[in-house]
Amino acid sequence: MFEHIDFNYLLATYGYWAVFFGCLLEGETILILGGMAAHQHLLHLWPVIGWASLGGMLGDQLLFWTGRYFGGRLLPRLKSKQAAIDRVTDLIHRYPSISVFSVRFLYGMRLVGPMVIGASGLSPIRFSLLNALGAVVWATLFASGGYWAGEALEGMLGNLKPYRLPIALGVLVLAVVIALVRHWRAKVKARQAE
């Protein structure tokens, strides 16, 4: 079905852009796939980490400034994210530096977290420095995880070239399933809290 598509060319040409734009928002799935592509020598690991760090950092900076200027009006409208907003608000008041660094690692906080931090009045310079450090650590961990996953799969399956598309689709399906399960659990928890 996809025999006529040259995935090597597509990854080599657009892979770093995909990592950058994928990491502007969530990014873990694309970052793992980027690490696996680096293991297959279609991309290089350090540029994957660099582009992912830049994308993750810029995405969180945009969300921080959105929260800074519009948080007072925007956050009360996000009723479905109220539990996450409360959790980040509590975290930012108790541990401001740790919360900036760790918010990208907490599920469900990646988009709301920087907006809440921006609305909290935290110094933009402090946020930028901690955000950059968190983005580099995050990108390194997930890209390396993808690289090691590629190594493990190659040990089990041998040459991964014929399996690239099924592996990529499998990672995407797994990410969607995990997101749906977490979303369902959050809804159940919200109903129980009512």
Side-chain angles (χ1 to χ4, degrees):
M1 180 168 152
F2 295 103
E3 297 85 22
H4 63 283
I5 298 175
D6 186 356
F7 286 105
N8 292 346
Y9 172 77
L10 289 174
L11 273 173
T13 305
Y14 303 110
Y16 296 119
W17 286 109
V19 167
F20 173 75
F21 286 113
C23 291
L24 275 170
L25 295 174
E26 290 291 334
E28 285 84 2
T29 304
I30 194 76
L31 193 48
I32 290 169
L33 291 172
M36 291 177 79
H39 179 267
Q40 293 295 302
H41 307 290
L42 299 170
L43 300 174
H44 299 286
L45 185 60
W46 290 113
V48 167
I49 291 170
W51 284 108
S53 299
L54 184 62
M57 186 182 69
L58 287 176
D60 282 4
Q61 284 295 138
L62 289 171
L63 292 168
F64 173 83
W65 287 105
T66 300
R68 186 87 162 179
Y69 289 110
F70 307 110
R73 288 175 282 165
L74 182 63
L75 292 174
R77 294 181 184 174
L78 300 175
K79 300 283 188 212
S80 64
K81 300 287 185 185
Q82 193 58 49
I85 291 169
D86 293 344
R87 204 165 146 203
V88 174
T89 302
D90 182 49
L91 204 75
I92 191 72
H93 289 318
R94 293 188 328 172
Y95 312 105
S97 296
I98 292 172
S99 65
V100 172
F101 178 83
S102 64
V103 75
R104 74 181 62 250
F105 296 97
L106 303 173
Y107 178 77
M109 308 289 173
R110 178 77 195 282
L111 297 176
V112 173
M115 282 196 288
V116 173
I117 294 168
S120 76
L122 186 77
S123 161
I125 294 171
R126 185 176 183 185
F127 178 81
S128 296
L129 293 173
L130 291 167
N131 180 38
L133 178 63
V136 170
V137 170
W138 169 79
T140 302
L141 288 174
F142 279 93
S144 298
Y147 190 91
W148 292 325
E151 194 168 310
L153 285 171
E154 190 173 69
M156 291 187 313
L157 301 173
N159 180 15
L160 293 181
K161 189 173 183 179
Y163 304 109
R164 284 183 185 150
L165 182 61
I167 289 170
L169 292 175
V171 170
L172 289 172
V173 166
L174 182 63
V176 168
V177 167
I178 290 171
L180 289 174
V181 167
R182 288 180 171 175
H183 179 72
W184 177 75
R185 283 184 182 170
K187 282 193 174 253
V188 168
K189 205 182 246 188
R191 279 191 214 128
Q192 290 174 345
E194 292 176 353

mmCIF file with all atom_site columns, all heavy atoms in Angstrom, residues 40-63:
data_model
loop_
_atom_site.group_PDB
_atom_site.id
_atom_site.type_symbol
_atom_site.label_atom_id
_atom_site.label_alt_id
_atom_site.label_comp_id
_atom_site.label_asym_id
_atom_site.label_entity_id
_atom_site.label_seq_id
_atom_site.pdbx_PDB_ins_code
_atom_site.Cartn_x
_atom_site.Cartn_y
_atom_site.Cartn_z
_atom_site.occupancy
_atom_site.B_iso_or_equiv
_atom_site.pdbx_formal_charge
_atom_site.auth_seq_id
_atom_site.auth_comp_id
_atom_site.auth_asym_id
_atom_site.auth_atom_id
_atom_site.pdbx_PDB_model_num
ATOM 1   N N   . GLN A 1 40 ? 17.897 4.633  13.636 1.00 0.00 ? 40 GLN A N   1
ATOM 2   C CA  . GLN A 1 40 ? 17.945 4.062  12.280 1.00 0.00 ? 40 GLN A CA  1
ATOM 3   C C   . GLN A 1 40 ? 18.809 4.901  11.339 1.00 0.00 ? 40 GLN A C   1
ATOM 4   O O   . GLN A 1 40 ? 18.857 4.629  10.150 1.00 0.00 ? 40 GLN A O   1
ATOM 5   C CB  . GLN A 1 40 ? 16.524 3.947  11.724 1.00 0.00 ? 40 GLN A CB  1
ATOM 6   C CG  . GLN A 1 40 ? 15.672 2.944  12.460 1.00 0.00 ? 40 GLN A CG  1
ATOM 7   C CD  . GLN A 1 40 ? 16.219 1.538  12.292 1.00 0.00 ? 40 GLN A CD  1
ATOM 8   O OE1 . GLN A 1 40 ? 16.351 1.047  11.185 1.00 0.00 ? 40 GLN A OE1 1
ATOM 9   N NE2 . GLN A 1 40 ? 16.574 0.914  13.401 1.00 0.00 ? 40 GLN A NE2 1
ATOM 10  N N   . HIS A 1 41 ? 19.468 5.932  11.857 1.00 0.00 ? 41 HIS A N   1
ATOM 11  C CA  . HIS A 1 41 ? 20.349 6.820  11.092 1.00 0.00 ? 41 HIS A CA  1
ATOM 12  C C   . HIS A 1 41 ? 19.610 7.618  10.028 1.00 0.00 ? 41 HIS A C   1
ATOM 13  O O   . HIS A 1 41 ? 20.209 8.055  9.045  1.00 0.00 ? 41 HIS A O   1
ATOM 14  C CB  . HIS A 1 41 ? 21.523 6.051  10.470 1.00 0.00 ? 41 HIS A CB  1
ATOM 15  C CG  . HIS A 1 41 ? 22.287 5.247  11.466 1.00 0.00 ? 41 HIS A CG  1
ATOM 16  N ND1 . HIS A 1 41 ? 23.072 5.828  12.420 1.00 0.00 ? 41 HIS A ND1 1
ATOM 17  C CD2 . HIS A 1 41 ? 22.351 3.904  11.673 1.00 0.00 ? 41 HIS A CD2 1
ATOM 18  C CE1 . HIS A 1 41 ? 23.610 4.882  13.181 1.00 0.00 ? 41 HIS A CE1 1
ATOM 19  N NE2 . HIS A 1 41 ? 23.180 3.706  12.753 1.00 0.00 ? 41 HIS A NE2 1
ATOM 20  N N   . LEU A 1 42 ? 18.302 7.813  10.217 1.00 0.00 ? 42 LEU A N   1
ATOM 21  C CA  . LEU A 1 42 ? 17.538 8.671  9.314  1.00 0.00 ? 42 LEU A CA  1
ATOM 22  C C   . LEU A 1 42 ? 17.625 10.122 9.781  1.00 0.00 ? 42 LEU A C   1
ATOM 23  O O   . LEU A 1 42 ? 17.500 11.048 8.985  1.00 0.00 ? 42 LEU A O   1
ATOM 24  C CB  . LEU A 1 42 ? 16.079 8.225  9.263  1.00 0.00 ? 42 LEU A CB  1
ATOM 25  C CG  . LEU A 1 42 ? 15.857 6.804  8.755  1.00 0.00 ? 42 LEU A CG  1
ATOM 26  C CD1 . LEU A 1 42 ? 14.421 6.372  8.960  1.00 0.00 ? 42 LEU A CD1 1
ATOM 27  C CD2 . LEU A 1 42 ? 16.237 6.714  7.285  1.00 0.00 ? 42 LEU A CD2 1
ATOM 28  N N   . LEU A 1 43 ? 17.805 10.311 11.071 1.00 0.00 ? 43 LEU A N   1
ATOM 29  C CA  . LEU A 1 43 ? 18.038 11.616 11.682 1.00 0.00 ? 43 LEU A CA  1
ATOM 30  C C   . LEU A 1 43 ? 19.232 11.452 12.621 1.00 0.00 ? 43 LEU A C   1
ATOM 31  O O   . LEU A 1 43 ? 19.677 10.340 12.873 1.00 0.00 ? 43 LEU A O   1
ATOM 32  C CB  . LEU A 1 43 ? 16.809 12.073 12.479 1.00 0.00 ? 43 LEU A CB  1
ATOM 33  C CG  . LEU A 1 43 ? 15.490 12.244 11.726 1.00 0.00 ? 43 LEU A CG  1
ATOM 34  C CD1 . LEU A 1 43 ? 14.352 12.548 12.697 1.00 0.00 ? 43 LEU A CD1 1
ATOM 35  C CD2 . LEU A 1 43 ? 15.592 13.333 10.682 1.00 0.00 ? 43 LEU A CD2 1
ATOM 36  N N   . HIS A 1 44 ? 19.705 12.561 13.147 1.00 0.00 ? 44 HIS A N   1
ATOM 37  C CA  . HIS A 1 44 ? 20.788 12.516 14.138 1.00 0.00 ? 44 HIS A CA  1
ATOM 38  C C   . HIS A 1 44 ? 20.213 12.864 15.495 1.00 0.00 ? 44 HIS A C   1
ATOM 39  O O   . HIS A 1 44 ? 19.376 13.775 15.610 1.00 0.00 ? 44 HIS A O   1
ATOM 40  C CB  . HIS A 1 44 ? 21.910 13.483 13.760 1.00 0.00 ? 44 HIS A CB  1
ATOM 41  C CG  . HIS A 1 44 ? 22.545 13.151 12.442 1.00 0.00 ? 44 HIS A CG  1
ATOM 42  N ND1 . HIS A 1 44 ? 23.407 12.090 12.270 1.00 0.00 ? 44 HIS A ND1 1
ATOM 43  C CD2 . HIS A 1 44 ? 22.405 13.721 11.225 1.00 0.00 ? 44 HIS A CD2 1
ATOM 44  C CE1 . HIS A 1 44 ? 23.786 12.031 11.011 1.00 0.00 ? 44 HIS A CE1 1
ATOM 45  N NE2 . HIS A 1 44 ? 23.190 13.013 10.343 1.00 0.00 ? 44 HIS A NE2 1
ATOM 46  N N   . LEU A 1 45 ? 20.668 12.159 16.525 1.00 0.00 ? 45 LEU A N   1
ATOM 47  C CA  . LEU A 1 45 ? 20.059 12.297 17.854 1.00 0.00 ? 45 LEU A CA  1
ATOM 48  C C   . LEU A 1 45 ? 20.194 13.714 18.415 1.00 0.00 ? 45 LEU A C   1
ATOM 49  O O   . LEU A 1 45 ? 19.219 14.266 18.938 1.00 0.00 ? 45 LEU A O   1
ATOM 50  C CB  . LEU A 1 45 ? 20.653 11.273 18.827 1.00 0.00 ? 45 LEU A CB  1
ATOM 51  C CG  . LEU A 1 45 ? 20.025 11.226 20.218 1.00 0.00 ? 45 LEU A CG  1
ATOM 52  C CD1 . LEU A 1 45 ? 18.543 10.891 20.130 1.00 0.00 ? 45 LEU A CD1 1
ATOM 53  C CD2 . LEU A 1 45 ? 20.744 10.212 21.093 1.00 0.00 ? 45 LEU A CD2 1
ATOM 54  N N   . TRP A 1 46 ? 21.363 14.327 18.337 1.00 0.00 ? 46 TRP A N   1
ATOM 55  C CA  . TRP A 1 46 ? 21.551 15.645 18.947 1.00 0.00 ? 46 TRP A CA  1
ATOM 56  C C   . TRP A 1 46 ? 20.702 16.718 18.286 1.00 0.00 ? 46 TRP A C   1
ATOM 57  O O   . TRP A 1 46 ? 20.101 17.548 18.994 1.00 0.00 ? 46 TRP A O   1
ATOM 58  C CB  . TRP A 1 46 ? 23.035 16.025 18.997 1.00 0.00 ? 46 TRP A CB  1
ATOM 59  C CG  . TRP A 1 46 ? 23.748 15.182 19.995 1.00 0.00 ? 46 TRP A CG  1
ATOM 60  C CD1 . TRP A 1 46 ? 24.703 14.235 19.750 1.00 0.00 ? 46 TRP A CD1 1
ATOM 61  C CD2 . TRP A 1 46 ? 23.539 15.147 21.412 1.00 0.00 ? 46 TRP A CD2 1
ATOM 62  N NE1 . TRP A 1 46 ? 25.102 13.628 20.915 1.00 0.00 ? 46 TRP A NE1 1
ATOM 63  C CE2 . TRP A 1 46 ? 24.402 14.171 21.956 1.00 0.00 ? 46 TRP A CE2 1
ATOM 64  C CE3 . TRP A 1 46 ? 22.699 15.848 22.281 1.00 0.00 ? 46 TRP A CE3 1
ATOM 65  C CZ2 . TRP A 1 46 ? 24.457 13.888 23.309 1.00 0.00 ? 46 TRP A CZ2 1
ATOM 66  C CZ3 . TRP A 1 46 ? 22.756 15.558 23.637 1.00 0.00 ? 46 TRP A CZ3 1
ATOM 67  C CH2 . TRP A 1 46 ? 23.626 14.594 24.138 1.00 0.00 ? 46 TRP A CH2 1
ATOM 68  N N   . PRO A 1 47 ? 20.595 16.748 16.952 1.00 0.00 ? 47 PRO A N   1
ATOM 69  C CA  . PRO A 1 47 ? 19.654 17.725 16.374 1.00 0.00 ? 47 PRO A CA  1
ATOM 70  C C   . PRO A 1 47 ? 18.193 17.440 16.741 1.00 0.00 ? 47 PRO A C   1
ATOM 71  O O   . PRO A 1 47 ? 17.408 18.387 16.904 1.00 0.00 ? 47 PRO A O   1
ATOM 72  C CB  . PRO A 1 47 ? 19.879 17.598 14.864 1.00 0.00 ? 47 PRO A CB  1
ATOM 73  C CG  . PRO A 1 47 ? 21.274 17.105 14.740 1.00 0.00 ? 47 PRO A CG  1
ATOM 74  C CD  . PRO A 1 47 ? 21.468 16.191 15.909 1.00 0.00 ? 47 PRO A CD  1
ATOM 75  N N   . VAL A 1 48 ? 17.815 16.167 16.877 1.00 0.00 ? 48 VAL A N   1
ATOM 76  C CA  . VAL A 1 48 ? 16.453 15.850 17.327 1.00 0.00 ? 48 VAL A CA  1
ATOM 77  C C   . VAL A 1 48 ? 16.224 16.463 18.708 1.00 0.00 ? 48 VAL A C   1
ATOM 78  O O   . VAL A 1 48 ? 15.211 17.130 18.956 1.00 0.00 ? 48 VAL A O   1
ATOM 79  C CB  . VAL A 1 48 ? 16.213 14.320 17.355 1.00 0.00 ? 48 VAL A CB  1
ATOM 80  C CG1 . VAL A 1 48 ? 14.938 13.980 18.120 1.00 0.00 ? 48 VAL A CG1 1
ATOM 81  C CG2 . VAL A 1 48 ? 16.146 13.756 15.949 1.00 0.00 ? 48 VAL A CG2 1
ATOM 82  N N   . ILE A 1 49 ? 17.186 16.272 19.605 1.00 0.00 ? 49 ILE A N   1
ATOM 83  C CA  . ILE A 1 49 ? 17.078 16.835 20.953 1.00 0.00 ? 49 ILE A CA  1
ATOM 84  C C   . ILE A 1 49 ? 17.048 18.359 20.898 1.00 0.00 ? 49 ILE A C   1
ATOM 85  O O   . ILE A 1 49 ? 16.249 19.010 21.582 1.00 0.00 ? 49 ILE A O   1
ATOM 86  C CB  . ILE A 1 49 ? 18.230 16.325 21.850 1.00 0.00 ? 49 ILE A CB  1
ATOM 87  C CG1 . ILE A 1 49 ? 18.049 14.833 22.123 1.00 0.00 ? 49 ILE A CG1 1
ATOM 88  C CG2 . ILE A 1 49 ? 18.310 17.116 23.149 1.00 0.00 ? 49 ILE A CG2 1
ATOM 89  C CD1 . ILE A 1 49 ? 19.238 14.163 22.791 1.00 0.00 ? 49 ILE A CD1 1
ATOM 90  N N   . GLY A 1 50 ? 17.889 18.942 20.057 1.00 0.00 ? 50 GLY A N   1
ATOM 91  C CA  . GLY A 1 50 ? 17.938 20.400 19.943 1.00 0.00 ? 50 GLY A CA  1
ATOM 92  C C   . GLY A 1 50 ? 16.639 20.998 19.417 1.00 0.00 ? 50 GLY A C   1
ATOM 93  O O   . GLY A 1 50 ? 16.109 21.955 19.993 1.00 0.00 ? 50 GLY A O   1
ATOM 94  N N   . TRP A 1 51 ? 16.111 20.438 18.322 1.00 0.00 ? 51 TRP A N   1
ATOM 95  C CA  . TRP A 1 51 ? 14.861 20.956 17.753 1.00 0.00 ? 51 TRP A CA  1
ATOM 96  C C   . TRP A 1 51 ? 13.688 20.720 18.704 1.00 0.00 ? 51 TRP A C   1
ATOM 97  O O   . TRP A 1 51 ? 12.804 21.563 18.821 1.00 0.00 ? 51 TRP A O   1
ATOM 98  C CB  . TRP A 1 51 ? 14.579 20.339 16.387 1.00 0.00 ? 51 TRP A CB  1
ATOM 99  C CG  . TRP A 1 51 ? 15.429 20.935 15.317 1.00 0.00 ? 51 TRP A CG  1
ATOM 100 C CD1 . TRP A 1 51 ? 16.469 20.346 14.671 1.00 0.00 ? 51 TRP A CD1 1
ATOM 101 C CD2 . TRP A 1 51 ? 15.328 22.261 14.785 1.00 0.00 ? 51 TRP A CD2 1
ATOM 102 N NE1 . TRP A 1 51 ? 17.021 21.219 13.768 1.00 0.00 ? 51 TRP A NE1 1
ATOM 103 C CE2 . TRP A 1 51 ? 16.334 22.400 13.811 1.00 0.00 ? 51 TRP A CE2 1
ATOM 104 C CE3 . TRP A 1 51 ? 14.487 23.340 15.035 1.00 0.00 ? 51 TRP A CE3 1
ATOM 105 C CZ2 . TRP A 1 51 ? 16.523 23.572 13.093 1.00 0.00 ? 51 TRP A CZ2 1
ATOM 106 C CZ3 . TRP A 1 51 ? 14.676 24.515 14.312 1.00 0.00 ? 51 TRP A CZ3 1
ATOM 107 C CH2 . TRP A 1 51 ? 15.684 24.616 13.361 1.00 0.00 ? 51 TRP A CH2 1
ATOM 108 N N   . ALA A 1 52 ? 13.676 19.572 19.372 1.00 0.00 ? 52 ALA A N   1
ATOM 109 C CA  . ALA A 1 52 ? 12.604 19.288 20.328 1.00 0.00 ? 52 ALA A CA  1
ATOM 110 C C   . ALA A 1 52 ? 12.677 20.248 21.514 1.00 0.00 ? 52 ALA A C   1
ATOM 111 O O   . ALA A 1 52 ? 11.644 20.750 21.974 1.00 0.00 ? 52 ALA A O   1
ATOM 112 C CB  . ALA A 1 52 ? 12.697 17.847 20.807 1.00 0.00 ? 52 ALA A CB  1
ATOM 113 N N   . SER A 1 53 ? 13.885 20.514 22.003 1.00 0.00 ? 53 SER A N   1
ATOM 114 C CA  . SER A 1 53 ? 14.051 21.463 23.116 1.00 0.00 ? 53 SER A CA  1
ATOM 115 C C   . SER A 1 53 ? 13.548 22.837 22.719 1.00 0.00 ? 53 SER A C   1
ATOM 116 O O   . SER A 1 53 ? 12.817 23.491 23.476 1.00 0.00 ? 53 SER A O   1
ATOM 117 C CB  . SER A 1 53 ? 15.525 21.565 23.521 1.00 0.00 ? 53 SER A CB  1
ATOM 118 O OG  . SER A 1 53 ? 16.019 20.335 23.964 1.00 0.00 ? 53 SER A OG  1
ATOM 119 N N   . LEU A 1 54 ? 13.923 23.285 21.521 1.00 0.00 ? 54 LEU A N   1
ATOM 120 C CA  . LEU A 1 54 ? 13.504 24.595 21.043 1.00 0.00 ? 54 LEU A CA  1
ATOM 121 C C   . LEU A 1 54 ? 11.984 24.658 20.875 1.00 0.00 ? 54 LEU A C   1
ATOM 122 O O   . LEU A 1 54 ? 11.334 25.613 21.321 1.00 0.00 ? 54 LEU A O   1
ATOM 123 C CB  . LEU A 1 54 ? 14.202 24.922 19.722 1.00 0.00 ? 54 LEU A CB  1
ATOM 124 C CG  . LEU A 1 54 ? 13.936 26.300 19.146 1.00 0.00 ? 54 LEU A CG  1
ATOM 125 C CD1 . LEU A 1 54 ? 14.423 27.388 20.103 1.00 0.00 ? 54 LEU A CD1 1
ATOM 126 C CD2 . LEU A 1 54 ? 14.615 26.439 17.797 1.00 0.00 ? 54 LEU A CD2 1
ATOM 127 N N   . GLY A 1 55 ? 11.401 23.630 20.274 1.00 0.00 ? 55 GLY A N   1
ATOM 128 C CA  . GLY A 1 55 ? 9.949  23.599 20.090 1.00 0.00 ? 55 GLY A CA  1
ATOM 129 C C   . GLY A 1 55 ? 9.206  23.575 21.412 1.00 0.00 ? 55 GLY A C   1
ATOM 130 O O   . GLY A 1 55 ? 8.239  24.319 21.616 1.00 0.00 ? 55 GLY A O   1
ATOM 131 N N   . GLY A 1 56 ? 9.656  22.729 22.333 1.00 0.00 ? 56 GLY A N   1
ATOM 132 C CA  . GLY A 1 56 ? 9.015  22.644 23.646 1.00 0.00 ? 56 GLY A CA  1
ATOM 133 C C   . GLY A 1 56 ? 9.129  23.938 24.428 1.00 0.00 ? 56 GLY A C   1
ATOM 134 O O   . GLY A 1 56 ? 8.177  24.391 25.066 1.00 0.00 ? 56 GLY A O   1
ATOM 135 N N   . MET A 1 57 ? 10.318 24.555 24.357 1.00 0.00 ? 57 MET A N   1
ATOM 136 C CA  . MET A 1 57 ? 10.541 25.800 25.074 1.00 0.00 ? 57 MET A CA  1
ATOM 137 C C   . MET A 1 57 ? 9.687  26.932 24.497 1.00 0.00 ? 57 MET A C   1
ATOM 138 O O   . MET A 1 57 ? 9.025  27.665 25.233 1.00 0.00 ? 57 MET A O   1
ATOM 139 C CB  . MET A 1 57 ? 12.013 26.191 25.018 1.00 0.00 ? 57 MET A CB  1
ATOM 140 C CG  . MET A 1 57 ? 12.362 27.394 25.852 1.00 0.00 ? 57 MET A CG  1
ATOM 141 S SD  . MET A 1 57 ? 14.088 27.845 25.698 1.00 0.00 ? 57 MET A SD  1
ATOM 142 C CE  . MET A 1 57 ? 14.137 28.442 24.021 1.00 0.00 ? 57 MET A CE  1
ATOM 143 N N   . LEU A 1 58 ? 9.651  27.058 23.181 1.00 0.00 ? 58 LEU A N   1
ATOM 144 C CA  . LEU A 1 58 ? 8.858  28.121 22.555 1.00 0.00 ? 58 LEU A CA  1
ATOM 145 C C   . LEU A 1 58 ? 7.361  27.930 22.801 1.00 0.00 ? 58 LEU A C   1
ATOM 146 O O   . LEU A 1 58 ? 6.639  28.902 23.053 1.00 0.00 ? 58 LEU A O   1
ATOM 147 C CB  . LEU A 1 58 ? 9.138  28.186 21.056 1.00 0.00 ? 58 LEU A CB  1
ATOM 148 C CG  . LEU A 1 58 ? 10.490 28.763 20.660 1.00 0.00 ? 58 LEU A CG  1
ATOM 149 C CD1 . LEU A 1 58 ? 10.673 28.675 19.159 1.00 0.00 ? 58 LEU A CD1 1
ATOM 150 C CD2 . LEU A 1 58 ? 10.633 30.199 21.138 1.00 0.00 ? 58 LEU A CD2 1
ATOM 151 N N   . GLY A 1 59 ? 6.895  26.687 22.719 1.00 0.00 ? 59 GLY A N   1
ATOM 152 C CA  . GLY A 1 59 ? 5.483  26.420 22.990 1.00 0.00 ? 59 GLY A CA  1
ATOM 153 C C   . GLY A 1 59 ? 5.090  26.837 24.387 1.00 0.00 ? 59 GLY A C   1
ATOM 154 O O   . GLY A 1 59 ? 4.044  27.479 24.590 1.00 0.00 ? 59 GLY A O   1
ATOM 155 N N   . ASP A 1 60 ? 5.930  26.506 25.370 1.00 0.00 ? 60 ASP A N   1
ATOM 156 C CA  . ASP A 1 60 ? 5.620  26.874 26.750 1.00 0.00 ? 60 ASP A CA  1
ATOM 157 C C   . ASP A 1 60 ? 5.747  28.378 26.968 1.00 0.00 ? 60 ASP A C   1
ATOM 158 O O   . ASP A 1 60 ? 5.012  28.955 27.768 1.00 0.00 ? 60 ASP A O   1
ATOM 159 C CB  . ASP A 1 60 ? 6.509  26.106 27.718 1.00 0.00 ? 60 ASP A CB  1
ATOM 160 C CG  . ASP A 1 60 ? 6.045  24.674 27.907 1.00 0.00 ? 60 ASP A CG  1
ATOM 161 O OD1 . ASP A 1 60 ? 5.081  24.267 27.218 1.00 0.00 ? 60 ASP A OD1 1
ATOM 162 O OD2 . ASP A 1 60 ? 6.627  23.960 28.728 1.00 0.00 ? 60 ASP A OD2 1
ATOM 163 N N   . GLN A 1 61 ? 6.674  29.032 26.262 1.00 0.00 ? 61 GLN A N   1
ATOM 164 C CA  . GLN A 1 61 ? 6.789  30.494 26.371 1.00 0.00 ? 61 GLN A CA  1
ATOM 165 C C   . GLN A 1 61 ? 5.523  31.170 25.852 1.00 0.00 ? 61 GLN A C   1
ATOM 166 O O   . GLN A 1 61 ? 5.021  32.105 26.475 1.00 0.00 ? 61 GLN A O   1
ATOM 167 C CB  . GLN A 1 61 ? 8.000  30.999 25.574 1.00 0.00 ? 61 GLN A CB  1
ATOM 168 C CG  . GLN A 1 61 ? 9.331  30.749 26.226 1.00 0.00 ? 61 GLN A CG  1
ATOM 169 C CD  . GLN A 1 61 ? 9.532  31.487 27.531 1.00 0.00 ? 61 GLN A CD  1
ATOM 170 O OE1 . GLN A 1 61 ? 10.049 30.926 28.479 1.00 0.00 ? 61 GLN A OE1 1
ATOM 171 N NE2 . GLN A 1 61 ? 9.125  32.729 27.615 1.00 0.00 ? 61 GLN A NE2 1
ATOM 172 N N   . LEU A 1 62 ? 4.999  30.674 24.723 1.00 0.00 ? 62 LEU A N   1
ATOM 173 C CA  . LEU A 1 62 ? 3.750  31.239 24.185 1.00 0.00 ? 62 LEU A CA  1
ATOM 174 C C   . LEU A 1 62 ? 2.600  31.052 25.165 1.00 0.00 ? 62 LEU A C   1
ATOM 175 O O   . LEU A 1 62 ? 1.800  31.969 25.379 1.00 0.00 ? 62 LEU A O   1
ATOM 176 C CB  . LEU A 1 62 ? 3.415  30.586 22.843 1.00 0.00 ? 62 LEU A CB  1
ATOM 177 C CG  . LEU A 1 62 ? 4.324  30.959 21.675 1.00 0.00 ? 62 LEU A CG  1
ATOM 178 C CD1 . LEU A 1 62 ? 4.021  30.069 20.467 1.00 0.00 ? 62 LEU A CD1 1
ATOM 179 C CD2 . LEU A 1 62 ? 4.170  32.421 21.310 1.00 0.00 ? 62 LEU A CD2 1
ATOM 180 N N   . LEU A 1 63 ? 2.530  29.875 25.772 1.00 0.00 ? 63 LEU A N   1
ATOM 181 C CA  . LEU A 1 63 ? 1.464  29.620 26.749 1.00 0.00 ? 63 LEU A CA  1
ATOM 182 C C   . LEU A 1 63 ? 1.639  30.472 28.007 1.00 0.00 ? 63 LEU A C   1
ATOM 183 O O   . LEU A 1 63 ? 0.662  30.958 28.581 1.00 0.00 ? 63 LEU A O   1
ATOM 184 C CB  . LEU A 1 63 ? 1.420  28.129 27.097 1.00 0.00 ? 63 LEU A CB  1
ATOM 185 C CG  . LEU A 1 63 ? 0.962  27.213 25.969 1.00 0.00 ? 63 LEU A CG  1
ATOM 186 C CD1 . LEU A 1 63 ? 1.239  25.756 26.319 1.00 0.00 ? 63 LEU A CD1 1
ATOM 187 C CD2 . LEU A 1 63 ? -0.514 27.426 25.667 1.00 0.00 ? 63 LEU A CD2 1
#
